């Protein structure tokens, strides 16, 4: 990475990796990003926190203390932190079930995240959703969705609402390379293009849909072209500054012109979910190579260290502190109470009814 | 008498069925191995047959298709991309051309994008072409039902949505022996069949499953236990909790219960059900799916139509609650042996 240092106000100008575009003038994208020590330290903090949340979730899951399904995002942290650096919480975000990174960046504390996975009342969805279903109304985070691709038309609906209410905001609609072949995505794309909605489609291409490599699932693996008439941009999403700059442009574009079809080239170190060891369809060398050459946290760490913005010792201290904080958050969350039985029957409709819960409580409950 | 008692206490889920000839050479198989064996049998005997779905090539996420691709070839056992509506439509097309089509939907929870293809295309093809075309050689398999930690999207029982569509058959086995026999019948039945497999049973345990080709007829329920005082109707994994509930009730009240495994949801074997309810005068129906509009409602309506004057009590139902299938509350949601026990008792003592 080539960078120059301006002595006066301690900012860094960093050259960004090349992009590929589809029906889009590449010169509109910046070739450099300007950042500061403050920004880089924040990015490092946030990414490392997400990394520790994932590592800690893995341990608790293997101990059967987190149950259900759990999809970790180690290796993709640059996306979640980079996106938020380019937009605000007034921009809507919707994604699939690999949502821990987004949950954290959209305002959930590690405590609340773990509590949700442990099924505690203090969880973000009162323990009723679990790992796949994080949401946050105050920060416009629409989840956290289980059915592959189903969130995409929903995201277009959000975009319409924003335009309809004349908000200067975008709807960021995330999905994976595996979801790209869902018909409903083509439907959503057409609507967004036809009505020029501020919909930013983002394909997180981590090369594998569960255990299926992209070449075996998609006739066209240039996901950034699959919006057809919608202009597309493919970026190296392991570079957090590239993600940030792209999202800044996307926000402007979405509000002024309409939809954009982004492809984020990324990689997940772990399997699809905790049920997938992740090594039967790829080899360890491939995973190790990405870790060594394209890790998003290492990229920022090198920027910090190479430009002497902090020392190795300081970085290690920060890492240790984050590790401790996350472990503590998880341990605390573990002690939180589970939801009361009556929560089984709340949040279905919005009226208050008494329900039969167990037949042994026949005398003081009412039949449905 | 003692032998009969001992047989009774082995779980109903691992029992044979009367249609299965006895004394055949058999191997101990789990449900998933029985299904694998059935698919292998079809692929061997029917050269038009093919099996496809998400991840089936390596064996599938539950290993039901393990080894089939190596044995029968890439053009017959293959993966599809992740697109349920596409998979179902593609399957309808293949079947319309006469290919024995066995499509897999990875979890029944994912079947909804395919709902239109199944309900509007597969179910109605024979009718709207006046019999010229049909997709009778279509079978769609999907794992369904609670598994202890599946949450909202890995636990659903969607049979009621499809039971509402004339033209489809819906089959649900309770154990390894039934899985093989019913699946072979389903594949060979000249109508589109939805075959829902209770995923909690896949690896639960094993029992002797005949190695030969055998079938269990569709549209025929099985009385898995005879009794006098009340008829209990269920299917799939529910037979396990019903078995436990019945054991308790019988001991406590000194009665005998008759348990019917539906095996085929559509078409319902009303003959067996009516005969039983006319004998006992009382009935409880159990299913995991939510109560409102579940197939228990249809069965109850039919029973009161045909057996009204024989009924001594209202028809009881033990079902999932009318909520989405929860994650941490599964134990409260699930119609387990305690709820079944209470409901059976309530109906018997009415």
């Amino acid at each position: 990475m080539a960078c120059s240092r301006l002595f006066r106000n301690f900012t860094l100008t960093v050259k960004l990796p090349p992009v590929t575009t589809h029906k889009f003038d590449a010169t509109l994208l910046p070739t450099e990003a300007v950042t500061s020590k403050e920004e880089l330290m924040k990015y490092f903090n946030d990414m490392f926190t997400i990394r520790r949340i994932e590592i800690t979730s893995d341990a608790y899951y293997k101990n059967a203390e987190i149950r259900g399904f759990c999809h970790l995002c180690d290796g993709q942290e640059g996306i979640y932190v980079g996106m938020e650096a380019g937009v605000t919480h007034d921009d809507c975000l919707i994604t699939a079930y690999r949502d821990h990174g987004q949950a954290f960046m959209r305002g959930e504390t590690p405590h609340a995240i773990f509590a949700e996975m442990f099924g505690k009342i203090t969880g973000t969805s009162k323990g009723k959703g679990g790992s796949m279903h994080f949401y946050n109304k105050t920060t416009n985070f629409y989840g956290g969705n289980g059915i592959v691709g189903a969130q995409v038309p929903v995201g277009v609906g959000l975009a319409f609402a924003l335009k309809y209410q004349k908000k200067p905001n975008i709807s960021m609609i995330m999905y994976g390379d595996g979801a790209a072949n869902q018909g409903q995505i083509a439907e959503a794309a057409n609507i967004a293009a036809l009505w020029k909605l501020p919909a930013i489609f983002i394909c997180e291409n981590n090369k594998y849909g569960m255990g299926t490599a992209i070449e075996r699932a998609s006739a066209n693996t240039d996901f950034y072209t699959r919006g057809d008439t919608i202009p597309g941009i493919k970026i190296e999403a392991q570079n957090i500054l590239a993600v940030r700059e792209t999202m800044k442009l996307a926000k402007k574009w979405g509000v002024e012109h309409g939809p954009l079809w982004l492809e984020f080239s990324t990689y997940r170190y772990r399997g699809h979910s905790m049920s997938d060891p992740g090594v039967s369809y790829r080899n360890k060398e491939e995973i190790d190579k990405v870790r060594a050459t394209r890790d998003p946290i290492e990229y920022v760490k090198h920027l910090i260290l190479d430009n002497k913005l902090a020392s190795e010792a300081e970085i290690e201290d920060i890492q240790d502190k984050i590790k401790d904080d996350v472990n503590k958050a998880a341990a605390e969350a573990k002690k939180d109470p589970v939801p009361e039985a009556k929560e089984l029957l709340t949040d279905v409709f919005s009226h208050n009814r008494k329900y039969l819960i167990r037949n042994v409580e026949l005398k003081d409950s009412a039949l449905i | 008498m003692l032998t009969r008692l001992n047989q009774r206490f082995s779980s109903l889920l691992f029992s044979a069925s009367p249609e299965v000839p006895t004394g055949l050479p058999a191997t101990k198989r789990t449900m998933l191995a029985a299904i694998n064996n059935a698919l292998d049998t079809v692929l061997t005997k029917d050269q038009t047959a093919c099996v496809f779905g998400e991840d089936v090539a390596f064996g599938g996420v539950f290993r039901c298709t393990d080894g089939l691709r190596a044995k029968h070839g890439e053009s017959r056992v293959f993966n599809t991309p992740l697109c349920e509506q596409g998979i179902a439509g593609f399957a309808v097309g293949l079947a319309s051309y006469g290919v024995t089509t066995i499509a897999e939907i990875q979890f029944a929870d994912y079947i909804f994008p395919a709902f239109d293809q199944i309900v509007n295309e597969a179910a109605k093809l024979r009718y709207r072409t006046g019999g010229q075309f049909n997709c009778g050689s279509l079978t769609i398999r999907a794992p369904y039902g609670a598994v202890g930690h599946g949450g909202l999207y890995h636990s659903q029982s969607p049979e009621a949505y499809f039971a509402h569509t004339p033209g489809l058959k819906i089959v649900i086995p309770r154990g390894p022996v039934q899985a093989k026999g019913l699946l072979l019948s389903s594949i060979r039945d000249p109508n589109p069949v939805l075959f829902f497999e209770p995923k909690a049973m896949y690896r639960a345990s094993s029992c002797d499953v005949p190695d030969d080709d055998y079938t269990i007829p569709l549209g025929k329920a099985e009385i898995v236990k005879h009794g006098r005082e009340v008829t209990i109707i269920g299917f799939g994994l529910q037979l396990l909790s019903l078995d436990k509930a019945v054991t308790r009730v019988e001991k406590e009240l000194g009665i005998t219960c008759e348990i019917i495994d539906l095996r085929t949801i559509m078409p319902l074997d009303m003959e067996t059900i009516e005969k039983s309810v006319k004998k006992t005068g009382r009935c409880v129906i159990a299913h995991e799916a939510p109560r409102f509009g579940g197939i228990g409602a249809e069965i109850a309506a039919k029973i009161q139509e045909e057996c009204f004057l024989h009924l001594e009590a209202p028809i009881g139902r033990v079902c999932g609650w009318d909520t989405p299938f929860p994650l941490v509350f599964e134990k409260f949601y699930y119609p387990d042996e305690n709820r079944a026990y209470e409901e059976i008792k309530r109906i018997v003592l009415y």
Side-chain angles (χ1 to χ4, degrees):
Chain A
M1 355 155 229
C3 31
S4 63
R5 196 164 161 203
L6 297 168
F7 297 94
R8 197 132 304 185
N9 27 13
F10 303 114
T11 59
L12 266 173
T13 304
V14 178
K15 190 160 184 289
L16 294 173
V19 301
T20 334
T21 59
H22 164 79
K23 299 186 180 171
F24 186 84
D25 179 3
T27 65
L28 293 173
L29 281 161
T31 52
E32 295 176 330
V34 176
T35 184
S36 66
K37 172 181 174 175
E38 198 185 304
E39 278 181 359
L40 289 174
M41 295 307 286
K42 179 174 188 324
Y43 301 156
F44 180 79
N45 251 283
D46 287 341
M47 286 196 287
F48 197 77
T49 305
I50 297 172
R51 179 69 60 93
R52 286 307 315 175
I53 291 174
E54 302 303 73
I55 292 172
T56 311
S57 303
D58 174 79
Y60 275 104
Y61 192 94
K62 286 179 171 145
N63 223 19
E65 290 172 285
I66 292 176
R67 304 205 64 214
F69 292 82
C70 190
H71 309 78
L72 303 176
C73 66
D74 312 48
Q76 302 186 192
E77 298 88 347
I79 294 176
Y80 315 120
V81 180
M83 281 174 69
E84 297 303 335
V87 303
T88 70
H89 284 168
D90 287 327
D91 299 301
C92 296
L93 175 62
I94 193 168
T95 186
Y97 42 74
R98 199 176 305 283
D99 60 344
H100 299 179
Q102 290 92 330
F104 176 71
M105 292 310 295
R106 286 264 147 166
E108 295 304 341
T109 60
H111 183 116
I113 292 173
F114 284 113
E116 182 60 30
M117 288 197 278
F118 290 138
K120 305 292 187 181
I121 188 76
T122 47
T124 61
S125 304
K126 301 193 229 173
K128 292 159 88 152
S131 158
M132 296 201 288
H133 302 294
F134 289 109
Y135 302 86
N136 192 320
K137 191 167 163 70
T138 52
T139 58
N140 287 300
F141 177 41
Y142 287 80
N145 299 285
I147 298 298
V148 170
Q151 74 278 13
V152 178
V154 175
V156 170
L158 294 172
F160 187 90
L162 290 169
K163 182 166 178 169
Y164 193 64
Q165 297 185 9
K166 299 193 168 37
K167 300 270 168 74
N169 296 108
I170 53 173
S171 169
M172 297 174 286
I173 308 166
M174 302 179 78
Y175 63 98
D177 48 274
N181 303 310
Q182 277 280 321
Q184 53 192 322
I185 294 186
E187 293 179 13
N190 181 54
I191 292 175
L194 201 59
W195 298 338
K196 297 191 171 41
L197 302 179
I200 310 300
F201 297 84
I202 299 168
C203 178
E204 284 179 280
N205 177 8
N206 59 21
K207 313 291 287 292
Y208 298 94
M210 250 171 46
T212 303
I214 51 176
E215 299 79 27
R216 292 200 295 122
S218 293
N220 176 4
T221 56
D222 289 327
F223 298 103
Y224 67 102
T225 65
R226 292 184 49 180
D228 192 16
T229 60
I230 298 178
I233 309 171
K234 172 176 167 170
I235 66 163
E236 163 64 354
Q238 302 302 86
N239 184 314
I240 189 181
L241 296 170
V243 175
R244 183 186 81 182
E245 295 304 315
T246 308
M247 290 315 296
K248 277 189 197 164
L249 176 129
K251 178 159 177 169
K252 246 180 128 264
W253 184 275
V255 173
E256 285 172 34
H257 302 290
L260 214 49
W261 201 270
L262 304 181
E263 178 183 340
F264 283 0
S265 259
T266 186
Y267 198 83
R268 55 165 161 81
Y269 300 144
R270 297 181 192 269
H272 161 75
S273 73
M274 289 304 300
S275 317
D276 168 25
V279 289
S280 56
Y281 47 86
R282 54 185 185 172
N283 54 45
K284 205 169 169 302
E285 289 78 57
E286 180 186 289
I287 307 172
D288 290 341
K289 181 150 179 251
V290 178
R291 257 198 215 273
T293 58
R294 286 174 69 205
D295 185 273
I297 300 178
E298 290 299 307
Y299 172 69
V300 170
K301 198 202 284 198
H302 281 303
L303 278 180
I304 294 172
L305 293 175
D306 292 352
N307 290 283
K308 303 202 177 17
L309 303 175
S311 67
E312 289 246 21
E314 282 174 275
I315 293 291
E316 270 182 42
D317 281 343
I318 292 171
Q319 285 179 188
D320 287 338
K321 178 158 194 314
I322 292 175
K323 185 171 170 192
D324 272 339
D325 287 345
V326 168
N327 283 340
K328 220 182 290 173
E332 289 297 313
K334 198 84 186 49
K335 298 191 217 143
D336 285 346
V338 285
E340 289 173 25
K342 71 171 165 69
E343 290 287 351
L344 167 67
L345 300 164
T346 58
D347 303 315
V348 177
F349 291 108
S350 62
H351 56 240
N352 245 340
R353 301 251 323 247
K354 281 184 74 181
Y355 286 96
L356 185 67
I357 294 186
R358 294 178 69 88
N359 279 320
V360 290
E361 289 147 357
L362 193 62
K363 60 173 169 49
D364 48 23
S365 41
L367 281 170
I368 295 168
Chain B
M1 188 56 192
L2 217 55
T3 337
R4 289 256 296 279
L5 261 176
N6 285 340
Q7 281 171 355
R8 247 297 287 123
F9 276 83
S10 70
S11 176
L12 294 176
L13 298 179
F14 301 103
S15 55
S17 292
E19 299 93 343
V20 182
T22 48
L24 295 174
T27 310
K28 271 217 165 357
R29 292 187 170 91
T30 56
M31 183 183 276
L32 77 88
I35 289 165
N36 184 271
N37 184 234
L39 294 173
D40 187 21
T41 304
V42 169
L43 286 162
T44 305
K45 289 188 164 176
D46 179 347
Q47 284 306 305
T48 75
C50 60
V51 172
F52 54 87
E54 292 159 17
D55 300 303
V56 303
F58 85 85
V61 290
F62 291 107
R63 322 300 294 158
C64 291
T65 51
D66 202 19
L68 297 177
R69 183 177 168 94
K71 186 169 173 191
H72 299 285
E74 304 179 342
S75 59
R76 303 183 67 202
V77 180
F78 53 91
N79 285 339
T80 59
L82 208 175
C83 47
E84 285 73 16
Q85 182 170 28
I87 292 169
F90 170 82
V92 169
L94 263 186
S96 311
Y97 201 76
V99 171
T100 299
T101 311
I102 306 158
E104 179 183 295
I105 299 288
Q106 196 162 81
F107 280 83
D109 311 65
Y110 309 164
I111 206 168
F112 299 106
F115 194 76
D116 176 72
Q117 284 290 341
I118 295 169
V119 157
N120 276 333
E121 304 305 318
K124 298 175 167 73
L125 187 58
R126 178 177 282 127
Y127 189 90
R128 69 178 195 265
T129 62
Q132 286 183 81
F133 288 110
N134 68 78
C135 53
S137 61
L138 171 62
T139 307
I140 297 179
R141 295 176 39 246
Y144 90 97
V147 72
H149 54 268
L152 293 82
Y153 299 110
H154 296 83
S155 316
Q156 291 176 70
S157 300
E159 68 277 354
Y161 297 109
F162 297 101
H164 195 56
T165 306
L168 297 175
K169 290 198 177 180
I170 303 170
V171 178
I172 303 186
R174 71 173 183 274
V177 174
Q178 292 71 30
K180 176 172 172 176
L182 288 170
L183 183 54
L184 285 169
S185 290
S186 299
I187 293 170
R188 291 164 182 165
D189 188 281
N191 292 288
V193 178
L194 298 174
F195 192 82
F196 292 120
E197 301 160 0
K199 65 172 85 70
M201 274 298 292
Y202 275 146
R203 266 176 251 259
S205 186
S206 52
C207 66
D208 281 333
V209 177
D211 298 327
D212 285 1
D213 191 335
Y214 68 92
T215 54
I216 295 176
L218 302 189
K220 207 96 195 40
E222 180 184 336
I223 301 177
V224 293
K225 180 185 174 300
H226 292 269
R228 276 230 49 96
E229 272 74 31
V230 61
T231 301
I232 319 287
I233 301 172
F235 55 90
L237 188 66
Q238 277 289 290
L239 272 310
L240 177 62
S241 28
L242 291 176
D243 193 8
K244 293 180 185 172
V246 156
T247 307
R248 233 173 114 189
V249 172
E250 288 184 337
K251 193 158 166 215
E252 191 177 311
L253 300 179
I255 57 164
T256 55
C257 305
E258 184 144 295
I259 305 181
I260 298 178
D261 175 11
L262 284 178
R263 301 193 307 191
T264 302
I265 311 300
M266 275 271 278
L268 274 178
D269 179 3
M270 279 315 295
E271 197 185 314
T272 303
I273 294 172
E274 282 167 34
K275 191 156 164 235
S276 174
V277 176
K278 284 178 178 168
K279 177 177 78 169
T280 62
R282 294 165 201 267
C283 183
V284 173
I285 310 163
H287 56 69
E288 287 180 19
R291 187 183 176 88
F292 191 98
I295 56 138
E298 176 64 27
I299 298 173
K302 280 180 144 63
I303 291 173
Q304 62 89 32
E305 275 171 4
E306 301 300 327
C307 315
F308 184 74
L309 294 173
H310 293 83
L311 288 173
E312 298 290 336
I315 297 163
R317 287 185 292 168
V318 190
C319 314
W321 300 117
D322 291 318
T323 72
F325 197 107
L327 175 66
V328 68
F329 291 117
E330 178 162 339
K331 279 195 152 59
F332 290 137
Y333 174 92
Y334 191 80
D336 63 7
E337 60 262 29
N338 295 315
R339 289 204 1 224
Y341 162 80
E342 293 284 349
E343 184 70 351
I344 298 170
K345 210 170 141 181
R346 180 178 81 91
I347 295 304
V348 168
L349 296 176
Y350 190 84

